[in-house]
Amino acid sequence: MPGAVPVRDAATILLLRDMSHGPSVLMGRRGRRAVFMPSKYVFPGGALDAADAQVRFAAPLDPSHAAAIGPQAGALAACAIRELWEETGQILGRPGAWPDAPPGWRGFARSGHRPDAGALEPVFRAVTPPGQSRRFDARFFAARAEALASDPDDFSGAEDELAHLHWVPLAHTGALDLPDITRLALRELQARLDDPGTARPVPFFHGTMETRAMRG
């Protein structure tokens, strides 16, 4: 269709931390002048870069997760880790030299780490509904803050895309101005925490439909 907004691949990360006030997730607020989702609270995430497919991990994505996602699994996992680094300054990685890091990853490499995809678990997938200025086919990965190689309270290395970066108790996320997709992803994360022993398929939201994908 002429003028249709293209759908870009993207990845998002739900970073979970156990705190004194309960399980919390790392979120930030988009600028009020942002083209996409202005003033909304979101998880770190963004569009896939070509260089994400060139990343060499310190630990790869779990093979079962990779098989369920498909050929772009590694690149999408890398995208989630890169966006976390860029938007929050947090390092999901392991110590190690990375002299041949691709463009877009050299700042991460200078931290003395290589990305750790083994800490990621896919929990949700969503395609932005038609009518938005930008559309994404986004994979949502969850990871535990314990896997970070950085101080979870230090956001000094963050770029300026997200403001008010902080750990939000899951019980308080409903009070924030959230996109509908973010609310659905939080609902799935909470369901997994409520019943951790059960294997759950990954929900896939597209248009106005929500289906259940195979486990992975």
Side-chain angles (χ1 to χ4, degrees), residues 163-189:
H164 196 207
L165 283 165
H166 66 297
W167 294 94
V168 184
L170 285 177
H172 298 170
T173 54
L176 299 178
D177 185 5
L178 303 174
D180 291 339
I181 293 298
T182 302
R183 293 187 187 278
L184 289 173
L186 282 166
R187 184 186 70 182
E188 177 62 22
L189 180 63

Side-chain angles (χ1 to χ4, degrees), residues 9-214:
D9 289 307
T12 297
I13 187 162
L14 288 68
L15 198 59
L16 186 67
R17 184 182 183 189
D18 292 323
M19 304 183 74
S20 60
H21 43 257
S24 302
V25 286
L26 183 57
M27 304 190 78
R29 186 181 65 238
R30 293 182 59 79
R32 61 184 177 86
R33 296 181 180 176
V35 175
F36 186 67
M37 295 183 178
S39 300
K40 298 287 187 180
Y41 277 88
V42 295
F43 309 114
L48 189 69
D49 282 352
D52 295 333
Q54 304 172 35
V55 167
R56 295 170 59 191
F57 295 107
L61 192 66
D62 181 278
S64 65
H65 298 331
I69 293 172
Q72 290 201 96
L76 289 164
C79 177
I81 296 171
R82 176 180 52 75
E83 290 288 338
L84 177 69
W85 159 254
E86 292 175 353
E87 295 185 352
T88 74
Q90 295 295 321
I91 301 169
L92 189 60
R94 300 184 185 183
W98 194 10
D100 57 346
W105 281 90
R106 290 168 186 167
F108 190 102
R110 284 194 294 272
S111 76
H113 297 84
R114 300 180 72 99
D116 176 11
L120 296 174
E121 177 186 1
V123 294
F124 192 65
R125 180 184 179 186
V127 175
T128 311
Q132 298 288 331
S133 59
R134 294 179 182 177
R135 299 187 66 201
F136 299 97
D137 182 352
R139 300 281 184 164
F140 291 69
F141 294 91
R144 288 277 179 175
E146 291 85 351
L148 293 172
S150 49
D151 178 350
D153 294 312
D154 181 5
F155 306 120
S156 60
E159 297 179 357
D160 60 1
E161 186 169 346
L162 295 180
H164 196 207
L165 283 165
H166 66 297
W167 294 94
V168 184
L170 285 177
H172 298 170
T173 54
L176 299 178
D177 185 5
L178 303 174
D180 291 339
I181 293 298
T182 302
R183 293 187 187 278
L184 289 173
L186 282 166
R187 184 186 70 182
E188 177 62 22
L189 180 63
Q190 185 64 65
R192 289 170 180 264
L193 292 175
D194 291 342
D195 193 9
T198 301
R200 293 178 60 85
V202 176
F204 178 21
F205 182 89
H206 48 100
T208 58
M209 299 288 292
E210 185 177 345
T211 59
R212 295 272 162 175
M214 293 181 64

